[in-house]
Tab-separated table of all heavy atoms in Angstrom:
chain	number	residue	atom	x	y	z
Y	1	MET	N	-85.367	88.769	62.422
Y	1	MET	CA	-86.065	88.347	61.187
Y	1	MET	C	-85.879	86.845	60.990
Y	1	MET	O	-84.833	86.302	61.295
Y	1	MET	CB	-85.477	89.076	59.960
Y	1	MET	CG	-86.021	90.479	59.807
Y	1	MET	SD	-85.479	91.196	58.269
Y	1	MET	CE	-86.719	90.555	57.159
Y	2	ARG	N	-86.913	86.239	60.459
Y	2	ARG	CA	-86.835	84.780	60.227
Y	2	ARG	C	-86.162	84.503	58.882
Y	2	ARG	O	-86.195	85.336	57.970
Y	2	ARG	CB	-88.258	84.193	60.164
Y	2	ARG	CG	-88.985	84.148	61.514
Y	2	ARG	CD	-90.446	83.789	61.284
Y	2	ARG	NE	-90.570	82.535	60.542
Y	2	ARG	CZ	-90.735	81.345	61.137
Y	2	ARG	NH1	-90.751	81.273	62.450
Y	2	ARG	NH2	-90.868	80.248	60.430
Y	3	LEU	N	-85.554	83.347	58.773
Y	3	LEU	CA	-84.995	82.920	57.485
Y	3	LEU	C	-86.137	82.643	56.517
Y	3	LEU	O	-87.182	82.116	56.917
Y	3	LEU	CB	-84.173	81.642	57.671
Y	3	LEU	CG	-82.788	81.788	58.264
Y	3	LEU	CD1	-82.254	80.432	58.677
Y	3	LEU	CD2	-81.850	82.448	57.278
Y	4	PRO	N	-85.952	83.000	55.227
Y	4	PRO	CA	-86.976	82.615	54.254
Y	4	PRO	C	-86.963	81.099	54.065
Y	4	PRO	O	-86.014	80.429	54.487
Y	4	PRO	CB	-86.522	83.334	52.974
Y	4	PRO	CG	-85.047	83.521	53.132
Y	4	PRO	CD	-84.796	83.653	54.621
Y	5	ASP	N	-88.018	80.567	53.473
Y	5	ASP	CA	-88.055	79.114	53.242
Y	5	ASP	C	-86.954	78.706	52.255
Y	5	ASP	O	-86.697	79.415	51.288
Y	5	ASP	CB	-89.426	78.700	52.656
Y	5	ASP	CG	-90.528	78.849	53.698
Y	5	ASP	OD1	-90.176	78.865	54.913
Y	5	ASP	OD2	-91.700	78.976	53.301
Y	6	PHE	N	-86.312	77.599	52.540
Y	6	PHE	CA	-85.313	77.040	51.628
Y	6	PHE	C	-85.133	75.566	51.964
Y	6	PHE	O	-85.540	75.113	53.041
Y	6	PHE	CB	-83.979	77.779	51.753
Y	6	PHE	CG	-83.316	77.617	53.097
Y	6	PHE	CD1	-82.368	76.628	53.321
Y	6	PHE	CD2	-83.660	78.455	54.159
Y	6	PHE	CE1	-81.775	76.475	54.562
Y	6	PHE	CE2	-83.068	78.299	55.409
Y	6	PHE	CZ	-82.125	77.306	55.610
Y	7	GLU	N	-84.550	74.834	51.029
Y	7	GLU	CA	-84.240	73.426	51.279
Y	7	GLU	C	-82.754	73.290	51.575
Y	7	GLU	O	-81.925	73.816	50.828
Y	7	GLU	CB	-84.620	72.579	50.055
Y	7	GLU	CG	-84.680	71.093	50.364
Y	7	GLU	CD	-85.178	70.300	49.157
Y	7	GLU	OE1	-86.134	70.766	48.513
Y	7	GLU	OE2	-84.570	69.239	48.871
Y	8	TYR	N	-82.432	72.623	52.690
Y	8	TYR	CA	-81.043	72.442	53.097
Y	8	TYR	C	-80.544	71.121	52.528
Y	8	TYR	O	-81.162	70.075	52.743
Y	8	TYR	CB	-80.961	72.430	54.626
Y	8	TYR	CG	-79.556	72.478	55.177
Y	8	TYR	CD1	-78.840	73.663	55.155
Y	8	TYR	CD2	-78.969	71.356	55.723
Y	8	TYR	CE1	-77.555	73.726	55.667
Y	8	TYR	CE2	-77.686	71.404	56.241
Y	8	TYR	CZ	-76.981	72.585	56.208
Y	8	TYR	OH	-75.712	72.644	56.717
Y	9	VAL	N	-79.467	71.191	51.770
Y	9	VAL	CA	-78.950	70.009	51.083
Y	9	VAL	C	-77.545	69.699	51.584
Y	9	VAL	O	-76.701	70.591	51.646
Y	9	VAL	CB	-78.910	70.252	49.551
Y	9	VAL	CG1	-78.447	69.016	48.817
Y	9	VAL	CG2	-80.273	70.697	49.043
Y	10	GLU	N	-77.317	68.451	51.974
Y	10	GLU	CA	-75.995	68.051	52.477
Y	10	GLU	C	-75.453	66.888	51.666
Y	10	GLU	O	-75.509	65.742	52.097
Y	10	GLU	CB	-76.121	67.615	53.939
Y	10	GLU	CG	-75.936	68.737	54.924
Y	10	GLU	CD	-75.959	68.212	56.357
Y	10	GLU	OE1	-76.997	67.651	56.743
Y	10	GLU	OE2	-74.948	68.379	57.067
Y	11	PRO	N	-74.867	67.189	50.496
Y	11	PRO	CA	-74.325	66.101	49.689
Y	11	PRO	C	-73.189	65.402	50.444
Y	11	PRO	O	-72.397	66.060	51.109
Y	11	PRO	CB	-73.788	66.799	48.436
Y	11	PRO	CG	-74.170	68.224	48.543
Y	11	PRO	CD	-74.607	68.499	49.936
Y	12	ASP	N	-73.148	64.063	50.324
Y	12	ASP	CA	-72.091	63.368	51.066
Y	12	ASP	C	-70.854	63.071	50.213
Y	12	ASP	O	-69.991	62.297	50.624
Y	12	ASP	CB	-72.629	62.089	51.718
Y	12	ASP	CG	-73.281	61.167	50.697
Y	12	ASP	OD1	-73.089	61.418	49.485
Y	12	ASP	OD2	-73.974	60.229	51.114
Y	13	SER	N	-70.788	63.657	49.027
Y	13	SER	CA	-69.571	63.547	48.224
Y	13	SER	C	-69.454	64.787	47.332
Y	13	SER	O	-70.456	65.447	47.057
Y	13	SER	CB	-69.601	62.287	47.346
Y	13	SER	OG	-70.532	62.456	46.294
Y	14	ILE	N	-68.239	65.058	46.892
Y	14	ILE	CA	-68.021	66.201	45.993
Y	14	ILE	C	-68.788	65.978	44.689
Y	14	ILE	O	-69.417	66.884	44.157
Y	14	ILE	CB	-66.519	66.406	45.729
Y	14	ILE	CG1	-65.829	66.839	47.035
Y	14	ILE	CG2	-66.279	67.441	44.633
Y	14	ILE	CD1	-64.332	66.916	46.953
Y	15	GLN	N	-68.764	64.723	44.198
Y	15	GLN	CA	-69.463	64.415	42.941
Y	15	GLN	C	-70.940	64.774	43.066
Y	15	GLN	O	-71.521	65.387	42.176
Y	15	GLN	CB	-69.341	62.929	42.579
Y	15	GLN	CG	-67.966	62.482	42.141
Y	15	GLN	CD	-67.014	62.289	43.330
Y	15	GLN	OE1	-67.402	62.339	44.490
Y	15	GLN	NE2	-65.741	62.136	43.004
Y	16	LYS	N	-71.543	64.358	44.193
Y	16	LYS	CA	-72.985	64.646	44.369
Y	16	LYS	C	-73.222	66.152	44.480
Y	16	LYS	O	-74.212	66.662	43.956
Y	16	LYS	CB	-73.521	63.928	45.612
Y	16	LYS	CG	-73.669	62.427	45.408
Y	16	LYS	CD	-74.260	61.754	46.621
Y	16	LYS	CE	-74.319	60.248	46.438
Y	16	LYS	NZ	-74.560	59.557	47.725
Y	17	ALA	N	-72.304	66.876	45.135
Y	17	ALA	CA	-72.447	68.333	45.256
Y	17	ALA	C	-72.371	68.978	43.872
Y	17	ALA	O	-73.201	69.826	43.535
Y	17	ALA	CB	-71.347	68.887	46.161
Y	18	VAL	N	-71.417	68.531	43.065
Y	18	VAL	CA	-71.259	69.088	41.713
Y	18	VAL	C	-72.499	68.787	40.865
Y	18	VAL	O	-73.016	69.675	40.187
Y	18	VAL	CB	-69.970	68.529	41.056
Y	18	VAL	CG1	-69.902	68.884	39.586
Y	18	VAL	CG2	-68.742	69.038	41.800
Y	19	LEU	N	-72.979	67.554	40.953
Y	19	LEU	CA	-74.176	67.182	40.175
Y	19	LEU	C	-75.380	68.030	40.586
Y	19	LEU	O	-76.112	68.542	39.740
Y	19	LEU	CB	-74.501	65.699	40.382
Y	19	LEU	CG	-73.750	64.702	39.523
Y	19	LEU	CD1	-74.129	63.284	39.900
Y	19	LEU	CD2	-74.066	64.958	38.038
Y	20	PHE	N	-75.546	68.202	41.909
Y	20	PHE	CA	-76.681	68.986	42.389
Y	20	PHE	C	-76.572	70.432	41.905
Y	20	PHE	O	-77.548	71.019	41.426
Y	20	PHE	CB	-76.764	68.969	43.917
Y	20	PHE	CG	-77.992	69.649	44.434
Y	20	PHE	CD1	-79.164	68.957	44.613
Y	20	PHE	CD2	-77.971	71.019	44.717
Y	20	PHE	CE1	-80.314	69.600	45.054
Y	20	PHE	CE2	-79.105	71.681	45.157
Y	20	PHE	CZ	-80.281	70.962	45.324
Y	21	LEU	N	-75.358	70.997	42.004
Y	21	LEU	CA	-75.178	72.401	41.603
Y	21	LEU	C	-75.298	72.580	40.092
Y	21	LEU	O	-75.742	73.623	39.631
Y	21	LEU	CB	-73.838	72.923	42.123
Y	21	LEU	CG	-73.776	73.094	43.629
Y	21	LEU	CD1	-72.350	73.291	44.112
Y	21	LEU	CD2	-74.668	74.241	44.083
Y	22	LYS	N	-74.926	71.531	39.338
Y	22	LYS	CA	-75.120	71.592	37.883
Y	22	LYS	C	-76.613	71.740	37.579
Y	22	LYS	O	-77.002	72.526	36.722
Y	22	LYS	CB	-74.613	70.297	37.234
Y	22	LYS	CG	-73.264	70.423	36.574
Y	22	LYS	CD	-72.985	69.189	35.732
Y	22	LYS	CE	-71.605	69.279	35.105
Y	22	LYS	NZ	-71.178	67.970	34.596
Y	23	GLU	N	-77.414	70.972	38.313
Y	23	GLU	CA	-78.870	70.960	38.062
Y	23	GLU	C	-79.579	72.162	38.675
Y	23	GLU	O	-80.493	72.703	38.063
Y	23	GLU	CB	-79.462	69.666	38.631
Y	23	GLU	CG	-80.819	69.334	38.019
Y	23	GLU	CD	-81.299	67.955	38.486
Y	23	GLU	OE1	-80.441	67.046	38.627
Y	23	GLU	OE2	-82.512	67.839	38.740
Y	24	HIS	N	-79.149	72.587	39.867
Y	24	HIS	CA	-79.892	73.633	40.587
Y	24	HIS	C	-79.050	74.863	40.894
Y	24	HIS	O	-79.412	75.648	41.781
Y	24	HIS	CB	-80.417	73.060	41.917
Y	24	HIS	CG	-81.315	71.881	41.773
Y	24	HIS	ND1	-82.626	71.987	41.364
Y	24	HIS	CD2	-81.084	70.559	41.953
Y	24	HIS	CE1	-83.171	70.778	41.324
Y	24	HIS	NE2	-82.257	69.903	41.680
Y	25	GLY	N	-77.920	75.012	40.165
Y	25	GLY	CA	-76.980	76.089	40.496
Y	25	GLY	C	-77.593	77.472	40.568
Y	25	GLY	O	-77.288	78.245	41.489
Y	26	GLU	N	-78.509	77.759	39.642
Y	26	GLU	CA	-79.080	79.115	39.577
Y	26	GLU	C	-79.846	79.467	40.838
Y	26	GLU	O	-79.879	80.619	41.257
Y	26	GLU	CB	-80.044	79.212	38.376
Y	26	GLU	CG	-79.381	79.073	37.019
Y	26	GLU	CD	-78.501	80.300	36.709
Y	26	GLU	OE1	-78.977	81.421	36.960
Y	26	GLU	OE2	-77.337	80.113	36.295
Y	27	GLU	N	-80.500	78.462	41.437
Y	27	GLU	CA	-81.351	78.744	42.600
Y	27	GLU	C	-80.719	78.258	43.905
Y	27	GLU	O	-81.420	78.084	44.902
Y	27	GLU	CB	-82.716	78.070	42.408
Y	27	GLU	CG	-82.543	76.597	42.129
Y	27	GLU	CD	-83.635	75.962	41.293
Y	27	GLU	OE1	-84.772	76.435	41.365
Y	27	GLU	OE2	-83.337	74.983	40.595
Y	28	SER	N	-79.403	78.033	43.887
Y	28	SER	CA	-78.718	77.517	45.072
Y	28	SER	C	-77.636	78.458	45.573
Y	28	SER	O	-77.111	79.268	44.819
Y	28	SER	CB	-78.033	76.173	44.745
Y	28	SER	OG	-78.964	75.217	44.350
Y	29	LYS	N	-77.343	78.314	46.857
Y	29	LYS	CA	-76.186	78.985	47.451
Y	29	LYS	C	-75.408	77.938	48.240
Y	29	LYS	O	-76.004	77.112	48.935
Y	29	LYS	CB	-76.626	80.094	48.412
Y	29	LYS	CG	-76.885	81.423	47.736
Y	29	LYS	CD	-75.590	82.159	47.497
Y	29	LYS	CE	-75.794	83.555	46.975
Y	29	LYS	NZ	-74.523	84.223	46.646
Y	30	ILE	N	-74.078	77.988	48.116
Y	30	ILE	CA	-73.208	77.106	48.885
Y	30	ILE	C	-73.014	77.719	50.265
Y	30	ILE	O	-72.931	78.939	50.393
Y	30	ILE	CB	-71.842	76.983	48.184
Y	30	ILE	CG1	-71.993	76.275	46.839
Y	30	ILE	CG2	-70.829	76.280	49.056
Y	30	ILE	CD1	-70.757	76.359	45.973
Y	31	THR	N	-72.970	76.886	51.284
Y	31	THR	CA	-72.607	77.407	52.595
Y	31	THR	C	-71.455	76.615	53.189
Y	31	THR	O	-71.338	75.409	52.968
Y	31	THR	CB	-73.800	77.432	53.570
Y	31	THR	OG1	-73.442	78.207	54.700
Y	31	THR	CG2	-74.248	76.052	53.968
Y	32	ALA	N	-70.590	77.330	53.928
Y	32	ALA	CA	-69.520	76.703	54.676
Y	32	ALA	C	-69.896	76.877	56.145
Y	32	ALA	O	-70.591	76.043	56.716
Y	32	ALA	CB	-68.184	77.354	54.346
Y	33	GLY	N	-69.550	78.075	56.760
Y	33	GLY	CA	-69.937	78.297	58.154
Y	33	GLY	C	-71.291	78.973	58.298
Y	33	GLY	O	-71.886	78.945	59.363
Y	34	GLY	N	-71.784	79.602	57.230
Y	34	GLY	CA	-73.084	80.258	57.276
Y	34	GLY	C	-73.110	81.599	57.982
Y	34	GLY	O	-74.169	82.216	58.092
Y	35	THR	N	-71.973	82.100	58.435
Y	35	THR	CA	-71.981	83.343	59.223
Y	35	THR	C	-72.255	84.567	58.357
Y	35	THR	O	-72.577	85.618	58.896
Y	35	THR	CB	-70.629	83.563	59.943
Y	35	THR	OG1	-69.604	83.686	58.966
Y	35	THR	CG2	-70.324	82.427	60.887
Y	36	ASP	N	-72.113	84.435	57.060
Y	36	ASP	CA	-72.409	85.537	56.144
Y	36	ASP	C	-73.707	85.252	55.390
Y	36	ASP	O	-74.570	86.128	55.273
Y	36	ASP	CB	-71.229	85.694	55.166
Y	36	ASP	CG	-71.370	86.939	54.318
Y	36	ASP	OD1	-71.528	88.018	54.910
Y	36	ASP	OD2	-71.388	86.820	53.094
Y	37	LEU	N	-73.858	84.026	54.912
Y	37	LEU	CA	-75.015	83.681	54.093
Y	37	LEU	C	-76.331	83.791	54.859
Y	37	LEU	O	-77.278	84.428	54.377
Y	37	LEU	CB	-74.874	82.265	53.523
Y	37	LEU	CG	-76.038	81.819	52.640
Y	37	LEU	CD1	-76.152	82.687	51.392
Y	37	LEU	CD2	-75.903	80.354	52.260
Y	38	PHE	N	-76.418	83.197	56.045
Y	38	PHE	CA	-77.706	83.198	56.745
Y	38	PHE	C	-78.150	84.593	57.181
Y	38	PHE	O	-79.325	84.944	57.000
Y	38	PHE	CB	-77.696	82.187	57.894
Y	38	PHE	CG	-77.649	80.756	57.398
Y	38	PHE	CD1	-76.606	79.918	57.728
Y	38	PHE	CD2	-78.639	80.273	56.564
Y	38	PHE	CE1	-76.553	78.609	57.245
Y	38	PHE	CE2	-78.601	78.969	56.062
Y	38	PHE	CZ	-77.549	78.139	56.412
Y	39	PRO	N	-77.234	85.456	57.707
Y	39	PRO	CA	-77.686	86.831	57.983
Y	39	PRO	C	-78.175	87.537	56.704
Y	39	PRO	O	-79.155	88.266	56.748
Y	39	PRO	CB	-76.443	87.498	58.559
Y	39	PRO	CG	-75.646	86.388	59.144
Y	39	PRO	CD	-75.893	85.208	58.239
Y	40	SER	N	-77.504	87.269	55.547
Y	40	SER	CA	-77.948	87.954	54.318
Y	40	SER	C	-79.289	87.382	53.836
Y	40	SER	O	-80.082	88.097	53.229
Y	40	SER	CB	-76.882	87.853	53.218
Y	40	SER	OG	-76.829	86.563	52.703
Y	41	MET	N	-79.558	86.102	54.158
Y	41	MET	CA	-80.876	85.544	53.828
Y	41	MET	C	-81.943	86.149	54.736
Y	41	MET	O	-83.042	86.456	54.284
Y	41	MET	CB	-80.854	84.019	53.965
Y	41	MET	CG	-80.095	83.324	52.855
Y	41	MET	SD	-79.873	81.549	53.151
Y	41	MET	CE	-81.568	80.950	53.052
Y	42	LYS	N	-81.611	86.338	56.014
Y	42	LYS	CA	-82.584	86.940	56.939
Y	42	LYS	C	-82.954	88.361	56.479
Y	42	LYS	O	-84.086	88.783	56.620
Y	42	LYS	CB	-82.007	86.995	58.355
Y	42	LYS	CG	-82.088	85.676	59.095
Y	42	LYS	CD	-81.625	85.834	60.534
Y	42	LYS	CE	-81.766	84.523	61.282
Y	42	LYS	NZ	-81.218	84.635	62.655
Y	43	LYS	N	-81.952	89.078	55.919
Y	43	LYS	CA	-82.196	90.453	55.427
Y	43	LYS	C	-82.773	90.436	54.012
Y	43	LYS	O	-82.952	91.489	53.401
Y	43	LYS	CB	-80.885	91.250	55.435
Y	43	LYS	CG	-80.325	91.514	56.816
Y	43	LYS	CD	-78.996	92.282	56.713
Y	43	LYS	CE	-78.192	92.159	57.995
Y	43	LYS	NZ	-76.724	92.103	57.707
Y	44	ARG	N	-83.056	89.236	53.471
Y	44	ARG	CA	-83.618	89.053	52.122
Y	44	ARG	C	-82.681	89.584	51.032
Y	44	ARG	O	-83.115	89.899	49.932
Y	44	ARG	CB	-85.000	89.706	51.984
Y	44	ARG	CG	-86.024	89.231	53.010
Y	44	ARG	CD	-86.277	87.734	52.962
Y	44	ARG	NE	-87.394	87.269	53.762
Y	44	ARG	CZ	-87.290	86.718	54.969
Y	44	ARG	NH1	-86.107	86.618	55.563
Y	44	ARG	NH2	-88.374	86.273	55.591
Y	45	ILE	N	-81.372	89.709	51.366
Y	45	ILE	CA	-80.388	90.074	50.333
Y	45	ILE	C	-80.173	88.879	49.417
Y	45	ILE	O	-79.970	89.022	48.205
Y	45	ILE	CB	-79.065	90.506	50.999
Y	45	ILE	CG1	-79.285	91.762	51.857
Y	45	ILE	CG2	-77.961	90.728	49.964
Y	45	ILE	CD1	-78.148	92.081	52.797
Y	46	SER	N	-80.230	87.706	49.999
Y	46	SER	CA	-80.068	86.466	49.242
Y	46	SER	C	-81.259	85.556	49.548
Y	46	SER	O	-81.613	85.394	50.704
Y	46	SER	CB	-78.753	85.803	49.692
Y	46	SER	OG	-78.501	84.669	48.942
Y	47	ARG	N	-81.886	85.005	48.475
Y	47	ARG	CA	-83.062	84.141	48.693
Y	47	ARG	C	-82.950	82.851	47.874
Y	47	ARG	O	-83.767	82.593	46.982
Y	47	ARG	CB	-84.329	84.883	48.309
Y	47	ARG	CG	-84.661	85.998	49.303
Y	47	ARG	CD	-86.094	86.340	49.272
Y	47	ARG	NE	-86.903	85.220	49.751
Y	47	ARG	CZ	-88.182	85.394	50.068
Y	47	ARG	NH1	-88.733	86.580	49.961
Y	47	ARG	NH2	-88.913	84.383	50.485
Y	48	PRO	N	-81.969	82.008	48.209
Y	48	PRO	CA	-81.831	80.764	47.440
Y	48	PRO	C	-82.942	79.771	47.768
Y	48	PRO	O	-83.449	79.745	48.895
Y	48	PRO	CB	-80.479	80.221	47.911
Y	48	PRO	CG	-80.334	80.747	49.305
Y	48	PRO	CD	-80.995	82.116	49.289
Y	49	SER	N	-83.318	78.961	46.787
Y	49	SER	CA	-84.281	77.878	47.054
Y	49	SER	C	-83.572	76.733	47.769
Y	49	SER	O	-84.195	76.007	48.555
Y	49	SER	CB	-84.865	77.356	45.735
Y	49	SER	OG	-85.444	78.416	45.015
Y	50	TYR	N	-82.262	76.590	47.484
Y	50	TYR	CA	-81.479	75.516	48.097
Y	50	TYR	C	-80.224	76.094	48.736
Y	50	TYR	O	-79.577	76.961	48.143
Y	50	TYR	CB	-81.036	74.494	47.049
Y	50	TYR	CG	-82.165	73.860	46.276
Y	50	TYR	CD1	-82.506	74.330	45.010
Y	50	TYR	CD2	-82.880	72.797	46.806
Y	50	TYR	CE1	-83.542	73.750	44.294
Y	50	TYR	CE2	-83.917	72.207	46.101
Y	50	TYR	CZ	-84.246	72.690	44.847
Y	50	TYR	OH	-85.272	72.120	44.149
Y	51	VAL	N	-79.896	75.618	49.929
Y	51	VAL	CA	-78.610	75.937	50.554
Y	51	VAL	C	-77.833	74.630	50.611
Y	51	VAL	O	-78.290	73.652	51.217
Y	51	VAL	CB	-78.778	76.547	51.955
Y	51	VAL	CG1	-77.443	76.652	52.656
Y	51	VAL	CG2	-79.438	77.913	51.863
Y	52	VAL	N	-76.693	74.619	49.921
Y	52	VAL	CA	-75.904	73.392	49.790
Y	52	VAL	C	-74.723	73.463	50.745
Y	52	VAL	O	-73.853	74.320	50.608
Y	52	VAL	CB	-75.411	73.211	48.339
Y	52	VAL	CG1	-74.640	71.909	48.195
Y	52	VAL	CG2	-76.585	73.265	47.360
Y	53	SER	N	-74.732	72.585	51.725
Y	53	SER	CA	-73.656	72.576	52.719
Y	53	SER	C	-72.500	71.711	52.238
Y	53	SER	O	-72.689	70.552	51.878
Y	53	SER	CB	-74.195	72.013	54.046
Y	53	SER	OG	-73.131	71.823	54.933
Y	54	LEU	N	-71.311	72.282	52.187
Y	54	LEU	CA	-70.144	71.520	51.726
Y	54	LEU	C	-69.352	70.951	52.890
Y	54	LEU	O	-68.964	71.632	53.796
Y	54	LEU	CB	-69.235	72.411	50.872
Y	54	LEU	CG	-69.840	72.876	49.566
Y	54	LEU	CD1	-68.797	73.628	48.752
Y	54	LEU	CD2	-70.374	71.704	48.753
F	101	FAD	C1	-69.662	88.017	64.455
F	101	FAD	C2	-68.857	88.125	63.195
F	101	FAD	C3	-67.642	88.766	63.216
F	101	FAD	C4	-66.901	88.891	62.031
F	101	FAD	N1	-65.702	89.508	62.078
F	101	FAD	C5	-64.983	89.618	60.935
F	101	FAD	C6	-63.712	90.240	60.934
F	101	FAD	O1	-63.234	90.700	61.965
F	101	FAD	N2	-63.034	90.327	59.774
F	101	FAD	C7	-63.538	89.809	58.620
F	101	FAD	O2	-62.875	89.893	57.588
F	101	FAD	N3	-64.727	89.181	58.585
F	101	FAD	C8	-65.451	89.111	59.713
F	101	FAD	N4	-66.663	88.531	59.688
F	101	FAD	C9	-67.141	88.031	58.413
F	101	FAD	C10	-66.693	86.624	58.267
F	101	FAD	O3	-65.357	86.627	57.823
F	101	FAD	C11	-67.472	85.998	57.187
F	101	FAD	O4	-68.788	86.008	57.672
F	101	FAD	C12	-66.974	84.574	56.979
F	101	FAD	O5	-65.728	84.615	56.320
F	101	FAD	C13	-67.903	83.843	56.122
F	101	FAD	O6	-67.472	82.504	56.126
F	101	FAD	P1	-68.546	81.367	56.225
F	101	FAD	O7	-67.824	80.076	56.117
F	101	FAD	O8	-69.426	81.537	57.408
F	101	FAD	O9	-69.326	81.681	54.859
F	101	FAD	P2	-70.811	81.404	54.469
F	101	FAD	O10	-71.725	82.339	55.166
F	101	FAD	O11	-71.086	79.957	54.564
F	101	FAD	O12	-70.690	81.827	52.898
F	101	FAD	C14	-70.345	83.191	52.548
F	101	FAD	C15	-70.468	83.314	51.010
F	101	FAD	O13	-69.475	82.498	50.374
F	101	FAD	C16	-70.108	81.525	49.543
F	101	FAD	N5	-69.359	80.262	49.727
F	101	FAD	C17	-69.177	79.601	50.886
F	101	FAD	N6	-68.420	78.496	50.673
F	101	FAD	C18	-68.144	78.491	49.346
F	101	FAD	C19	-67.410	77.601	48.491
F	101	FAD	N7	-66.812	76.521	48.963
F	101	FAD	N8	-67.326	77.906	47.182
F	101	FAD	C20	-67.954	78.993	46.660
F	101	FAD	N9	-68.659	79.883	47.415
F	101	FAD	C21	-68.734	79.618	48.740
F	101	FAD	C22	-71.540	81.417	50.054
F	101	FAD	O14	-72.439	80.969	49.037
F	101	FAD	C23	-71.818	82.832	50.490
F	101	FAD	O15	-72.221	83.594	49.372
F	101	FAD	C24	-67.420	88.365	60.842
F	101	FAD	C25	-68.657	87.710	60.815
F	101	FAD	C26	-69.366	87.602	61.978
F	101	FAD	C27	-70.707	86.938	61.968
């Protein structure tokens, strides 16, 4: 299955990550290694508009 459409966000500071999540938290998911998040997105269990890489 293909990943649904989403915007990949790579903040280059914690402050920027916090600011982004404050503004878009409801429609975002944080990712670290992605080994759980991306398979769940492929299965449409999770459909964030933004994936924020920490
Ligand atoms: C092939 C394979 C084998 C596995 N074997 C095992 C096993 O033997 N035992 C086991 O326990 N697990 C196992 N797992 C599961 C694995 O432990 C999890 O997939 C892994 O811990 C997820 O870490 P990640 O960094 O990839 O998380 P991600 O997929 O990046 O994120 C997982 C969830 O945590 C959230 N998240 C990530 N970072 C943060 C953060 N900083 N703050 C808040 N929320 C955050 C994400 O939004 C998401 O909802 C396996 C997975 C795979 C793919």
Side-chain angles (χ1 to χ4, degrees):
M1 280 187 85
R2 288 170 55 95
L3 282 167
D5 291 339
F6 65 94
E7 195 175 318
Y8 190 75
V9 183
E10 270 185 299
D12 55 13
S13 72
I14 293 173
Q15 289 78 8
K16 287 183 184 165
V18 170
L19 276 177
F20 186 89
L21 290 166
K22 258 191 182 165
E23 200 173 323
H24 301 284
E26 294 291 316
E27 54 208 330
S28 299
K29 274 279 187 185
I30 294 168
T31 192
T35 62
D36 188 54
L37 180 63
F38 291 120
S40 73
M41 287 172 67
K42 280 186 178 175
K43 294 178 199 145
R44 304 301 190 261
I45 297 167
S46 184
R47 289 203 66 166
S49 304
Y50 302 98
V51 171
V52 182
S53 172
L54 294 186

